[in-house]
Amino acid sequence: MGVYSRLTNRSMIKRQERKSKTLGTLIKQKYLFMMLFPSLLYYFIFRYIPMYGVIIAFKDYNFISGIWGSKWVGLKYFKQFLQNPYFFRTLRNTFIISINSLFWFFPVPIIFAILLNEVKNTQFKKTIQTVTYLPHFISIVTVVGLLKQLTSPTTGVINAVIMTLGGNPINFFMEKGWFVPLYVISAIWSDFGWGAIVYIAAISGIGQELYEAASIDGAGRFRQIWHITIPGIMPTVVILLILRMGSLLDVGYEKILLMYNEGIYETSDVISTYIYRNGIRQANYSFGTAVGLLNSTVSLALVIMSNYISKNVTEVGLW
Amino acid sequence: MKKAMIILLFATLAGTFIGCKESAHNGNKPKEVVNVEFLVSSPAASDEQFILKDLLQEKFGISVKFSMAAQGAHLEKLQLLVAANSLPDLMSPVPSETAHKIGSLGALVPYNEHLDKMPNYKKMMESDPVSYASMYAADGNIYIAPQYSEFSNVHKVFRYIPTMRTDLMESVGLEVPETFDELYKGLKAIKSKHPETVGLVNRTGTDIFKDLGYSFGTRPDITYNYEQEKYVFGPESENYKAMISYLNKLWKEGLADPELFTASTQQYEAKVINGLGVFLIDWEENSNNYWRTHDSLNSDSAFRLEPIMPIISDVYKRKIVQQMPETNLYTSMVLSKKSPAVDKLIQFVDWLYSDEGSIIVQFGAENVTYAKQDGRYKFLPNIIADYNPDGSTDIQKDYGIKLPHIIRLSKDLEYEERDEYTQNSEAILKQYIENQYNYPVNNGIELSFTEEETATIGRLRSDINTCVNEWSIEFVTGSKSLDKYDEFLQETKARGVDELVDIYNDAYTRFTERINNMKK
Amino acid sequence: MVKNNSKIQAFDVVNVILMLFLMGVALYPIVYEIAISLSSASYVQANKISVFPKGFNFDSYKNLVQYRIFWISYKNTIVYSVLGTLINLTLTSTLAFCLSRRELLFRKQITLFIIFTMFFSGGMIPNFLLVNWLGIYNSIWAVVLPGAISTYNMIIVRTFMSGIPEEVIESVRIDGGNDLQIFSRIVLPLSKSAFATVGLFYFIGHWNSYFGPMIYLSDKSLQPLQVILKEMIVDQNIEGLGLRMSDLKDEMPTSEMFTAASIVLSIIPVLCVYPFVQKYFVKGVMIGSVKG
């Protein structure tokens, strides 16, 4: 036997070792796999099977021919989207709104949870929690309605104050520059309490003894927060941040539809609202699906990137 | 208990009907009953409470089950059901566009193949040739059963009209305006005397370009032009530019509500009720309602919000006002081709166009749900209506009657309590007729397009509308100067507007051919 | 036990003021909506309500609750929410647990398999066809199964579970326990705050759900609260006459008062549920499990 056959023998043996090792591990972890089974079945049936629907993006879908019978058109709808006169604008607006939301909105529930944690009276704390998460339940239609009333240039409180201070009334919903701030501020108002729930739960998982030990060592409030609370919730923060990167392009149309008008499309028309006008209403499923597919691909890429960066910097990652 | 009594009464009613009919023909053969599913968008009664249940069973052999799709997703649900090949037997309302689309693909019953069995439907169609011709899909079939209305009162005909605070005009010593120039002068005078008012108010966003457009002889999209007798792109004409400049003038001088394009209905209503709004275009019912509400909250009797004669523009020099079309194609009833009960449903649909059927689905039965007063139908006191404020029964939700999407022939026969507000506006509207304001603004023409044309329209129309509305708002607010109007037109050309105009005119040619063929 | 500084610091004062301000800001619109729901129509239309109701009456509520269908849908929502959340938590907790075990075979691959579904989906049509094909259309299963696991929520639970110190897990293994016992004896009890959080998310998700039930259910008697409410608050005065479907704004005009009443009616149960959940957010859930 030559060197070659010794090598192949060795790799064959290694493979067999690996296989039996795998089998052995499988048996050892049998309970885990039994627990996994129903969930994996769910994903397979309800998530993977319907995925064939992405083919609609490449076809001229019509209801009678069905998905398989419809004509294949390849990249026609992708081109239609990428070449439409408003493409660049909608993409840009989507990013601007999303990044602004990320920057301004993301930290608020975290800070709120930390500050809430510092409240000493438990009863008061619980009350604050309950009250502040209520705005989440007010429908978006009502929220926008309230916002419009507050900012009305004729009857709104905010402009009344501005005018008393000697300024000119601002027509908020007609000003291109005000759209993003209004959008983000109303989002913060609706969801800062609700968004804090996760962090409140995470903080509750931090051992009390850590705080006790720290105060024995003479650490003040802020040092305790910095060295105990924040690191304690860091894994949660990082994971949610990575996930948030994955929804960077997902600016929903519902709220914007209520807030925008053609006068401020320049800063408010996003991908989803464009699709709404062009896709859903005209039952252009192919078009909507094509754009959705593009969106998904970019989002996945963003998550992969963020996950990689995160794992190298903080060792915490989605996978 | 009461409900059971009522259903029993209806059953008896039905029984006597059938009894008379059947005894003339064969013996008493029991009719087989088929279950059918109705998908309606309006709130409907529950299946057991549906007061016409037994009647329909007796008369047509159908047992009705309502399935519902709530607001905002009626069309989505409909399309999903088509995709899954499980369309309900009957669906209403379906916009004619959608009906043509799925009908042409074979999902719906073509009514034109059953006209021999639908005498009432046929009669209604022949009474209105323009709508009749509009009902055809591009493949030559009719898939829709539209809603017809019979109006007997002027204020049902003219409903969306210019309305103004005539007391404010009086307070500055001016007559009710007849031209836009007079309107401008009026608004200006009012603003200086009453600085808290805002002038022109609106809640329809950019649809104001449509509403005002009539008076200027133009529209923001592609519409039929009477002078040129073809479809044109509105903004290309000087008339559209004139309208935009007029609005710009109002805006610049503070004579238009800063929230002209952003006001929600609630904001708009509050402005009008609280006296800030001076000039508006709205449903006559609404304006009366605002006036009434204002008076209930304030004691100053000077406030007067009433319709005025249509206003003339220099460019168009005609008094134009929207007239409610008698045929509404957009809330049509369609039948699924796959339904096992097609024949029975055809009879049912036809019955809806008969005098007797239309009364029953609109008002119910005499002394059961209504009583006649002054030749009109008045619901009994326990049923909620404008004239029965203490009623506890909802005619739609509890009995399943007066469902707008089931009613196919709407008779304007309901009793109305006219108060001083309604009478006041009616008196003004009567002058509309006397002065011949019956200009057919809504000419009732609905074009139908081939599959290829529909695809092109789908691709281009929305972007062109966006372009028009964006530029129009910017011209009005002044952020773009009107000198750039040609640039605006260039952009619409770049978006393909000429292609669309050609498509519309082709479809119109087919339409005129069809009408001419019908006349032969 | 050494107490933290029991002196009231400036920090506390500022914090409390801030909290009170935030509570006010959060509370005001709720108060406003309640006031609207209890006022009479004219005042609401004229926008004269600020904090207190005017023309006090219960009409908007009466108008909603007098219908049997309202109560039927309320019951439906409770059933869907409870059953749904139970299914959610069972599947989510077992999945999160398995994925939190670092030694799990093919852990990375399975995780990717699942995370991929957060980005790619077939869309409305194949999902609808699937529900149809499975024979669950127009049944409670169409409401609770398609959304049985939210990957986002599952990741939250996994993150919490990963935070349980290894020594604690090891102690069960040393005693001869298998994975099932690790799960039931250690991980489940220590993950209460995770379950409370995610359970709340799932429950509220079911409570507010509108689109799914509307698409997958056709019988009115099976519809949940939000669907029925939305239908009821549509302003009934719009007749079909003369209105083009394409001209209709996408939302039919709704009565502001009924909208307000429906918001209040939807919030009340949610308010009742939260206090139960709150007790799991108490500090130091892991006391005694680990020293130092």
Side-chain angles (χ1 to χ4, degrees), chain A residues 198-214:
Chain A
V198 187
Y199 303 114
I200 294 173
I203 292 179
S204 73
I206 300 176
Q208 266 299 81
E209 61 279 2
L210 290 171
Y211 290 105
E212 287 163 12

Side-chain angles (χ1 to χ4, degrees), chain A residues 117-161:
Chain A
N117 185 49
E118 295 297 319
V119 170
K120 295 204 176 104
N121 185 317
T122 329
Q123 198 47 51
F124 186 44
K125 202 170 172 177
K126 281 187 176 176
T127 316
I128 300 174
Q129 256 179 58
T130 312
V131 168
T132 54
Y133 99 139
L134 286 181
H136 174 80
F137 297 97
I138 301 195
S139 69
I140 198 68
V141 177
T142 313
V143 172
V144 175
L146 280 171
L147 195 58
K148 282 196 168 164
Q149 278 183 29
L150 272 178
T151 58
S152 163
T154 48
T155 55
V157 165
I158 296 183
N159 274 311
V161 170

Side-chain angles (χ1 to χ4, degrees), chain B residues 8 144 196 453 478 490:
Chain B
L8 193 61
I144 56 182
E196 75 284 358
E453 289 171 340
Q490 287 304 326

Side-chain angles (χ1 to χ4, degrees), chain C residues 102-135:
Chain C
R102 274 169 218 103
E103 69 276 9
L104 178 73
L105 190 64
F106 301 131
R107 182 188 190 214
K108 188 166 180 178
Q109 291 84 338
I110 298 179
T111 308
L112 286 171
F113 172 78
I114 289 175
I115 292 194
F116 188 77
T117 66
M118 284 182 92
F119 301 99
F120 291 92
S121 97
M124 226 179 7
I125 294 174
N127 278 296
F128 188 78
L129 294 177
L130 177 70
V131 165
N132 232 2
W133 180 77
L134 286 172

